[in-house]
Amino acid sequence: RPPEVLIVDSIVDTGRTLRELRAKDWLHEYNVHYAVTYCDPKQHSVVDTFWHRKHTNQWLEFPWESIVDDIGPKSKAFAKLEK
């Protein structure tokens, strides 16, 4: 039985991020469960578990999004993770 992995994200809006994760070859070695807090109704097929349906086009801003830490802006932090 393959090891189990839980991938959690705050929101699925377009589904692009989780689709890109599902396409990673190395993840196919695991039993992966994808969970999100908020999910756009059109993207239910991308996730395994969600807490709340997002029924608005309004941007949801989470408290942690306004924080910039020692790493710098989020775009730089994510660029480091992608390498």
Side-chain angles (χ1 to χ4, degrees), residues 7-72:
I7 294 179
V8 181
D9 200 353
S10 53
I11 188 167
V12 168
D13 196 21
T14 64
R16 189 185 101 221
T17 302
L18 288 184
R19 274 196 281 287
E20 287 178 6
L21 275 172
R22 286 184 184 272
K24 300 287 183 191
D25 288 336
W26 61 270
L27 272 179
H28 294 280
E29 301 172 20
Y30 301 93
N31 180 12
V32 182
H33 187 90
Y34 299 88
V36 295
T37 307
Y38 290 91
C39 185
D40 183 284
K42 293 177 228 149
Q43 304 304 327
H44 289 175
S45 63
V46 179
V47 301
D48 298 312
T49 302
F50 62 91
W51 175 70
H52 188 74
R53 286 180 178 89
K54 178 183 172 276
H55 288 290
T56 178
N57 287 332
Q58 184 178 6
W59 185 260
L60 297 176
E61 187 164 332
F62 297 96
W64 55 85
E65 290 180 333
S66 61
I67 297 171
V68 177
D69 58 20
D70 294 336
I71 298 174

